[in-house]
């Protein structure tokens, strides 16, 4: 489906992503982990066509992803969310949702003016879909509120819901649970599993090992831009390189503990399969 | 007095169209077009040249709109990779370029003298009847333009423009080609501004390079900002207010016997003070942009 071939991206002297190759199969859920600044977001930017690789190639569905047409992957079914959504203050929640949908009649200025009936029907259908998705993330009651006025966590949820308006084939999510409360996190995991059952592959950047362990078939660990592990989530804690990347070099006798990302994350021991401590 | 009022209303309607156009580009789409007067001017000169060549105005006006739409398209393509601020500067430069062409290409534009003696609107009528007919036409075209702009702001097209204004990356991530959107809105805005320019030429039976000074762009911006960026009704209100003020000050001069060389600066001063006052008291303009409540609208 989606693949990277020896992709490198440098910013001046800094190599943020270093000779990364990967392959995402259909319906796969792949976790992308690594310490802050290890290049996860940069890799997502490369995969989604938001950044051009310094060298190497990204391919999606048989075509090369080009940063000159960053909007195109999304139309072809490769969609991404943002670590910081920064939603518009002067658009309502529902409007942001609709902007995530594909409304060809309304998007064309001619048809907007000349075929009001088609525009109305299309809009009604997508409003229905949007309200369903908003209900899943507890935002239905805020449909007419300014999107930029939502709390940080709510903005993340809305950012995710808007991306889902178009049934993508591959979904790239940048820390979807950061700032989201635990019960909603569990529901989000269930929802993402259902999306996968619907035929979507997922790449999830996460610091919450519980969430990763719960959801992912496979994990890629990045450190300083390079892939240092490609394994099942429960194997991460046994990987010396991953442990050191997260915690620094281990001193004997210090228990291996890793704090999950986000505001409400509990403490997670990556040695015990990412179960919550 | 009646004639003066009719004149102010006609000019308000004409600049109302130009303001609605700028509001669509800048208010809805967030595009800092500082060359709006160029689009107006292209329409104005195209209509002047075509009517001089013998074309009747109902044919010349759409042609002028098409020429200005092409101008808008070109401005959009021109700086498609520039950051917003640099693009804004480029539009200012393009407007000056258009003015300099108008000033220097005598064979086409009449040079500094401009093009006069145009057969205007409704040559069969005169006096107040003619002014009333012109006002009716201009008001009708303003209404049409405003309704069109409002409609475009309400559908997915406008939604994407607003998202582009506030977070272009998010718009891109949701599959919207923002360069194409920008070019489309500039072409549409161009056609509207060209309509305003064409009407202006036909009404005054004259167009010259002095009508294309950057100050005119500033005036149109003033109308939009005063009325409320992002709101079509605001643009119309702003246009009426600024036009009335602008036309009224020389009139005031006659009333209180001010020296005539003062009126120019007085105009600028008055408009500047009003903009400052409004923006300090109501930063969103007189008729602020409203949030669209789609959910509550549903049956
Ligand atoms: N546009 C940019 N210009 C310069 N440097 C950048 C840019 N984007 C990322 N970097 C650098 O690349 C490195 C990787 O950043 P990236 O955002 O990919 O990290 P990350 O793994 O997502 O971190 P976090 O977990 O904190 O989100 C960092 O050192 C960052 O400073
Ligand atoms: Mg990141």
């Amino acid at each position: 489906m989606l693949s990277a071939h020896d992709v490198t991206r440098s910013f001046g002297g800094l190599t943020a992503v270093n000779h990364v190759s990967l392959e995402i199969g259909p319906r796969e859920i792949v976790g992308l982990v690594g310490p802050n600044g290890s290049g996860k977001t940069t890799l997502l930017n490369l995969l989604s066509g938001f950044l051009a690789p310094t060298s190497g190639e990204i391919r999606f569905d048989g075509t090369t992803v080009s940063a000159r047409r960053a909007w195109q992957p999304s139309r072809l079914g490769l969609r991404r969310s943002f670590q910081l959504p920064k939603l518009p203050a002067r658009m309502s929640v529902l409007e942001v949702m609709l902007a995530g949908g594909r409304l060809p009649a309304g998007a064309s200025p001619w048809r907007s003016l000349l075929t009001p009936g088609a525009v109305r029907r299309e809009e009604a259908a997508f409003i229905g879909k949007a309200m369903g998705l908003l209900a899943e993330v507890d935002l239905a009651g805020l449909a007419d509120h300014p999107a930029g006025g939502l709390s940080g966590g709510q903005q993340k949820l809305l950012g995710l819901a808007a991306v889902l308006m178009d049934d993508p084939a591959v979904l790239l999510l940048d820390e979807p649970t950061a700032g989201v409360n635990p019960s909603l996190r569990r529901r989000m995991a269930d929802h993402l599993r259902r999306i996968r059952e619907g035929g979507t592959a997922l790449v999830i950047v996460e610091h919450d090992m519980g969430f990763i362990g719960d959801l992912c078939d496979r994990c890629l660990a990045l450190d300083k831009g390079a892939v240092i592990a490609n394994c099942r989530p429960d194997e991460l804690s046994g990987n010396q390189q991953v442990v050191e990347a997260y915690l620094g070099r281990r001193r004997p006798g210090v228990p291996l503990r890793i704090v999950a990302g986000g505001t409400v994350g509990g403490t997670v021991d990556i040695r015990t399969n990412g179960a919550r401590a | 007095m009646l004639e003066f009022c009719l004149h102010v209303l006609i000019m308000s309607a004409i600049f109302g169209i130009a303001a609605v156009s700028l509001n669509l580009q800048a208010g809805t789409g967030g595009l800092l077009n500082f060359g709006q007067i160029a689009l107006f001017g292209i329409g104005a000169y195209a209509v002047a040249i075509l009517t001089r060549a013998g074309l009747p105005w109902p044919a010349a006006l759409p042609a002028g709109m098409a020429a200005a739409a092409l101008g808008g398209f070109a401005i959009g393509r021109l700086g498609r990779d520039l950051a917003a601020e640099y693009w804004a500067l480029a539009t200012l430069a393009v407007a000056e370029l258009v003015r300099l062409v108008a000033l220097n290409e005598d064979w086409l534009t009449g040079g500094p003298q401009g093009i006069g003696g145009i057969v205007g609107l409704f040559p069969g009528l005169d006096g107040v009847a003619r002014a009333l007919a012109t006002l009716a036409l201009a008001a009708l075209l303003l209404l049409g333009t405003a309704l069109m702009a409002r409609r475009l702001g309400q559908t997915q097209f406008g939604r994407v423009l607003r998202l582009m204004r506030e977070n272009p990356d998010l718009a891109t991530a949701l599959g919207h080609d923002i360069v194409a959107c920008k070019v489309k809105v500039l072409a549409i805005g161009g056609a509207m501004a060209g309509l305003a320019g064409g009407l202006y030429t036909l009404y005054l039976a004259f167009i010259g390079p002095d009508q294309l000074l950057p100050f005119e762009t500033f005036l149109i911006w003033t109308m939009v900002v005063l009325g409320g960026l992002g709101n079509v009704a605001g643009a119309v209100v702003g246009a009426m207010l600024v036009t009335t003020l602008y036309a009224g000050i020389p009139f005031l001069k006659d009333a209180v016997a001010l020296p005539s060389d003062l009126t120019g600066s007085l105009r600028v001063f008055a408009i500047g003070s009003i903009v400052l006052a409004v923006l300090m008291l109501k930063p969103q303009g007189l008729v602020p942009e409203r949030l669209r409540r789609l959910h509550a609208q549903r049956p």
Side-chain angles (χ1 to χ4, degrees), chain A residues 73-168:
Chain A
S74 171
R75 294 242 184 122
L76 298 174
L78 170 64
R79 286 200 149 187
R80 55 102 34 105
S81 73
F82 291 92
Q83 188 168 355
L84 298 168
K86 290 183 287 202
L87 296 177
R90 284 178 291 163
M91 288 176 77
S92 76
V93 166
L94 186 51
E95 279 196 295
V96 171
M97 290 297 285
L98 291 182
R102 198 182 303 223
L103 288 76
S108 146
W110 296 120
R111 295 179 66 192
S112 289
L113 297 170
L114 302 176
T115 60
V119 172
R120 196 171 338 105
R121 277 191 299 280
E122 175 187 83
E123 206 152 282
F126 275 93
I127 288 179
K129 180 169 188 175
M131 291 310 295
L133 283 167
L134 286 177
E136 299 243 18
V137 291
D138 286 351
L139 290 175
L142 296 173
D144 282 336
H145 284 249
L150 298 181
S151 75
Q154 287 174 322
Q155 289 205 26
K156 294 228 64 155
L157 292 168
L158 178 54
L160 173 62
V163 164
L164 295 176
M165 286 291 286
D166 199 36
D167 305 317

Side-chain angles (χ1 to χ4, degrees), chain B residues 10 13 29 50 82-83 102 109 117 120 138 143 147 159 169 184 204 226 230-231 264 270:
Chain B
I10 291 168
L50 290 171
L82 291 179
T109 63
L143 184 70
L147 288 177
R159 217 171 279 133
D169 277 348
K184 275 184 210 162
L204 297 181
L226 209 62
N231 189 307

Side-chain angles (χ1 to χ4, degrees), chain B:
Chain B
M1 187 64 202
L2 173 67
E3 264 149 52
F4 174 75
C5 287
L6 285 174
H7 171 71
V8 169
L9 286 172
I10 291 168
M11 292 297 268
S12 296
I14 291 173
F15 278 95
I17 295 173
V20 167
S21 155
L22 182 63
N23 182 57
L24 185 66
Q25 304 166 53
T28 310
L31 300 172
L32 302 176
N33 181 359
F34 290 131
Q36 175 73 346
I37 199 61
L39 302 175
F40 183 96
I42 290 172
Y45 267 98
V47 167
I49 291 163
L50 290 171
T51 45
R52 188 178 58 183
L55 212 63
W57 68 261
L61 209 48
M65 289 170 68
L70 218 62
F73 177 85
I75 294 179
R77 294 295 296 176
L78 161 85
R80 61 184 180 278
D81 293 328
L82 291 179
E85 305 80 9
Y86 295 105
W87 183 79
L89 284 178
T91 59
L92 191 62
V94 168
E96 276 297 88
L97 199 73
V98 168
R99 188 177 68 85
L100 290 176
V101 169
L103 188 64
N104 293 308
E105 299 301 314
D106 294 38
W107 61 276
L108 185 67
T109 63
Q113 273 76 50
I115 302 175
I118 292 161
V119 184
L121 300 162
F122 312 111
L125 303 172
D126 46 27
V128 172
R130 187 175 190 180
L132 278 171
T134 305
L135 176 59
L137 177 71
L140 211 67
L141 290 173
L142 169 62
L143 184 70
T145 308
L147 288 177
M148 209 163 117
R150 199 182 67 158
R151 174 71 181 158
L152 288 176
Q154 283 171 342
T155 59
Q156 182 81 345
F157 181 68
R159 217 171 279 133
V160 172
L161 288 180
R162 274 175 283 141
L163 191 57
M164 170 173 99
R165 168 187 80 192
E166 304 209 19
N167 188 341
D169 277 348
L170 183 56
T172 303
L174 295 177
H176 305 295
D177 179 355
I178 57 175
V179 171
C181 288
K182 188 165 140 177
V183 170
K184 275 184 210 162
V185 75
L186 281 165
I188 295 168
M192 291 173 171
L195 174 64
L199 274 175
Y200 181 89
T201 300
L202 290 169
Y203 171 53
L204 297 181
F206 169 77
I207 185 72
D210 285 352
Q211 261 95 39
L212 307 189
L213 287 166
F215 180 71
E216 301 293 325
T217 295
F218 164 75
L219 269 187
I220 303 172
W221 265 97
T222 305
M223 297 168 187
V224 175
V225 172
L226 209 62
L229 265 173
N231 189 307
V232 176
V236 177
V237 169
M240 285 212 63
L241 215 71
V242 172
T243 310
T244 308
L245 205 73
Y246 200 67
I249 281 172
F251 192 70
L252 197 77
K253 170 208 73 175
D254 295 339
V256 293
L258 278 170
S260 58
D261 55 336
L262 242 158
T263 56
S265 8
L266 197 62
R267 274 174 166 174
V268 179
F269 176 75
I271 287 172
S273 330
I274 289 202
V275 170
L276 274 179
V278 168
L279 291 187
M280 277 159 73
L281 299 172
K282 270 193 95 154
Q284 306 290 314
L286 297 171
V287 194
E289 181 179 10
R290 273 202 313 253
L291 200 68
R292 295 213 61 220
R293 300 186 197 284
L294 288 167
H295 188 51
Q297 265 176 26
R298 286 207 306 163

